[in-house]
PDB file of all heavy atoms in Angstrom:
ATOM      1  N   LEU K  27      32.900 -21.472 -49.184  1.00 88.00           N
ATOM      2  CA  LEU K  27      33.610 -20.197 -49.311  1.00 88.00           C
ATOM      3  C   LEU K  27      34.856 -20.167 -48.425  1.00 88.00           C
ATOM      4  O   LEU K  27      35.907 -19.646 -48.827  1.00 88.00           O
ATOM      5  CB  LEU K  27      32.680 -19.040 -48.942  1.00 88.00           C
ATOM      6  CG  LEU K  27      31.577 -18.709 -49.957  1.00 88.00           C
ATOM      7  CD1 LEU K  27      30.616 -17.677 -49.375  1.00 88.00           C
ATOM      8  CD2 LEU K  27      32.184 -18.190 -51.262  1.00 88.00           C
ATOM      9  N   ALA K  28      34.741 -20.728 -47.217  1.00 84.00           N
ATOM     10  CA  ALA K  28      35.893 -20.770 -46.303  1.00 84.00           C
ATOM     11  C   ALA K  28      37.001 -21.631 -46.900  1.00 84.00           C
ATOM     12  O   ALA K  28      38.184 -21.259 -46.843  1.00 84.00           O
ATOM     13  CB  ALA K  28      35.471 -21.318 -44.947  1.00 84.00           C
ATOM     14  N   GLU K  29      36.630 -22.772 -47.481  1.00 83.00           N
ATOM     15  CA  GLU K  29      37.626 -23.645 -48.100  1.00 83.00           C
ATOM     16  C   GLU K  29      38.337 -22.944 -49.256  1.00 83.00           C
ATOM     17  O   GLU K  29      39.563 -23.046 -49.401  1.00 83.00           O
ATOM     18  CB  GLU K  29      36.960 -24.932 -48.591  1.00 83.00           C
ATOM     19  CG  GLU K  29      36.527 -25.862 -47.466  1.00 83.00           C
ATOM     20  CD  GLU K  29      35.720 -27.046 -47.967  1.00 83.00           C
ATOM     21  OE1 GLU K  29      35.304 -27.019 -49.155  1.00 83.00           O
ATOM     22  OE2 GLU K  29      35.527 -28.003 -47.194  1.00 83.00           O
ATOM     23  N   GLU K  30      37.574 -22.238 -50.081  1.00 84.00           N
ATOM     24  CA  GLU K  30      38.168 -21.521 -51.213  1.00 84.00           C
ATOM     25  C   GLU K  30      39.098 -20.415 -50.718  1.00 84.00           C
ATOM     26  O   GLU K  30      40.181 -20.204 -51.280  1.00 84.00           O
ATOM     27  CB  GLU K  30      37.065 -20.933 -52.093  1.00 84.00           C
ATOM     28  CG  GLU K  30      36.256 -21.984 -52.839  1.00 84.00           C
ATOM     29  CD  GLU K  30      35.078 -21.392 -53.593  1.00 84.00           C
ATOM     30  OE1 GLU K  30      34.824 -20.177 -53.429  1.00 84.00           O
ATOM     31  OE2 GLU K  30      34.410 -22.137 -54.333  1.00 84.00           O
ATOM     32  N   ARG K  31      38.678 -19.711 -49.686  1.00 81.00           N
ATOM     33  CA  ARG K  31      39.495 -18.625 -49.141  1.00 81.00           C
ATOM     34  C   ARG K  31      40.775 -19.173 -48.512  1.00 81.00           C
ATOM     35  O   ARG K  31      41.860 -18.586 -48.673  1.00 81.00           O
ATOM     36  CB  ARG K  31      38.680 -17.848 -48.096  1.00 81.00           C
ATOM     37  CG  ARG K  31      39.386 -16.640 -47.504  1.00 81.00           C
ATOM     38  CD  ARG K  31      39.682 -15.601 -48.542  1.00 81.00           C
ATOM     39  NE  ARG K  31      40.331 -14.427 -47.962  1.00 81.00           N
ATOM     40  CZ  ARG K  31      40.971 -13.506 -48.658  1.00 81.00           C
ATOM     41  NH1 ARG K  31      41.060 -13.604 -49.970  1.00 81.00           N
ATOM     42  NH2 ARG K  31      41.528 -12.475 -48.051  1.00 81.00           N
ATOM     43  N   ILE K  32      40.663 -20.289 -47.801  1.00 78.00           N
ATOM     44  CA  ILE K  32      41.843 -20.919 -47.187  1.00 78.00           C
ATOM     45  C   ILE K  32      42.833 -21.335 -48.268  1.00 78.00           C
ATOM     46  O   ILE K  32      44.041 -21.112 -48.151  1.00 78.00           O
ATOM     47  CB  ILE K  32      41.427 -22.134 -46.326  1.00 78.00           C
ATOM     48  CG1 ILE K  32      40.710 -21.659 -45.049  1.00 78.00           C
ATOM     49  CG2 ILE K  32      42.641 -22.973 -45.947  1.00 78.00           C
ATOM     50  CD1 ILE K  32      40.021 -22.773 -44.294  1.00 78.00           C
ATOM     51  N   ALA K  33      42.332 -21.963 -49.337  1.00 79.00           N
ATOM     52  CA  ALA K  33      43.195 -22.407 -50.430  1.00 79.00           C
ATOM     53  C   ALA K  33      43.925 -21.213 -51.053  1.00 79.00           C
ATOM     54  O   ALA K  33      45.127 -21.281 -51.347  1.00 79.00           O
ATOM     55  CB  ALA K  33      42.375 -23.145 -51.480  1.00 79.00           C
ATOM     56  N   TYR K  34      43.200 -20.109 -51.243  1.00 74.00           N
ATOM     57  CA  TYR K  34      43.813 -18.915 -51.835  1.00 74.00           C
ATOM     58  C   TYR K  34      44.900 -18.353 -50.924  1.00 74.00           C
ATOM     59  O   TYR K  34      46.006 -18.013 -51.373  1.00 74.00           O
ATOM     60  CB  TYR K  34      42.742 -17.853 -52.094  1.00 74.00           C
ATOM     61  CG  TYR K  34      43.319 -16.513 -52.486  1.00 74.00           C
ATOM     62  CD1 TYR K  34      43.762 -16.277 -53.786  1.00 74.00           C
ATOM     63  CD2 TYR K  34      43.455 -15.490 -51.534  1.00 74.00           C
ATOM     64  CE1 TYR K  34      44.315 -15.053 -54.144  1.00 74.00           C
ATOM     65  CE2 TYR K  34      44.005 -14.271 -51.884  1.00 74.00           C
ATOM     66  CZ  TYR K  34      44.424 -14.052 -53.187  1.00 74.00           C
ATOM     67  OH  TYR K  34      44.978 -12.843 -53.519  1.00 74.00           O
ATOM     68  N   LEU K  35      44.596 -18.243 -49.617  1.00 74.00           N
ATOM     69  CA  LEU K  35      45.566 -17.675 -48.678  1.00 74.00           C
ATOM     70  C   LEU K  35      46.803 -18.558 -48.554  1.00 74.00           C
ATOM     71  O   LEU K  35      47.928 -18.056 -48.454  1.00 74.00           O
ATOM     72  CB  LEU K  35      44.913 -17.489 -47.306  1.00 74.00           C
ATOM     73  CG  LEU K  35      43.873 -16.370 -47.203  1.00 74.00           C
ATOM     74  CD1 LEU K  35      43.194 -16.392 -45.851  1.00 74.00           C
ATOM     75  CD2 LEU K  35      44.518 -15.005 -47.450  1.00 74.00           C
ATOM     76  N   GLU K  36      46.602 -19.880 -48.550  1.00 68.00           N
ATOM     77  CA  GLU K  36      47.743 -20.788 -48.442  1.00 68.00           C
ATOM     78  C   GLU K  36      48.631 -20.674 -49.678  1.00 68.00           C
ATOM     79  O   GLU K  36      49.860 -20.671 -49.572  1.00 68.00           O
ATOM     80  CB  GLU K  36      47.250 -22.225 -48.260  1.00 68.00           C
ATOM     81  CG  GLU K  36      46.695 -22.488 -46.867  1.00 68.00           C
ATOM     82  CD  GLU K  36      46.160 -23.892 -46.720  1.00 68.00           C
ATOM     83  OE1 GLU K  36      45.913 -24.544 -47.776  1.00 68.00           O
ATOM     84  OE2 GLU K  36      45.976 -24.346 -45.579  1.00 68.00           O
ATOM     85  N   GLU K  37      48.021 -20.596 -50.846  1.00 70.00           N
ATOM     86  CA  GLU K  37      48.795 -20.451 -52.079  1.00 70.00           C
ATOM     87  C   GLU K  37      49.557 -19.120 -52.092  1.00 70.00           C
ATOM     88  O   GLU K  37      50.725 -19.058 -52.455  1.00 70.00           O
ATOM     89  CB  GLU K  37      47.864 -20.526 -53.288  1.00 70.00           C
ATOM     90  CG  GLU K  37      48.589 -20.410 -54.627  1.00 70.00           C
ATOM     91  CD  GLU K  37      47.635 -20.420 -55.801  1.00 70.00           C
ATOM     92  OE1 GLU K  37      46.419 -20.571 -55.587  1.00 70.00           O
ATOM     93  OE2 GLU K  37      48.109 -20.259 -56.942  1.00 70.00           O
ATOM     94  N   HIS K  38      48.860 -18.068 -51.631  1.00 64.00           N
ATOM     95  CA  HIS K  38      49.467 -16.729 -51.608  1.00 64.00           C
ATOM     96  C   HIS K  38      50.641 -16.690 -50.642  1.00 64.00           C
ATOM     97  O   HIS K  38      51.701 -16.165 -50.945  1.00 64.00           O
ATOM     98  CB  HIS K  38      48.399 -15.713 -51.195  1.00 64.00           C
ATOM     99  CG  HIS K  38      48.895 -14.299 -51.200  1.00 64.00           C
ATOM    100  ND1 HIS K  38      49.047 -13.564 -52.347  1.00 64.00           N
ATOM    101  CD2 HIS K  38      49.284 -13.492 -50.179  1.00 64.00           C
ATOM    102  CE1 HIS K  38      49.495 -12.361 -52.047  1.00 64.00           C
ATOM    103  NE2 HIS K  38      49.646 -12.288 -50.736  1.00 64.00           N
TER     104      HIS K  38
END
Side-chain angles (χ1 to χ4, degrees):
L27 287 172
E29 289 173 348
E30 291 174 353
R31 183 63 179 164
I32 289 168
Y34 170 79
L35 289 174
E36 286 178 342
E37 181 183 357
H38 183 78

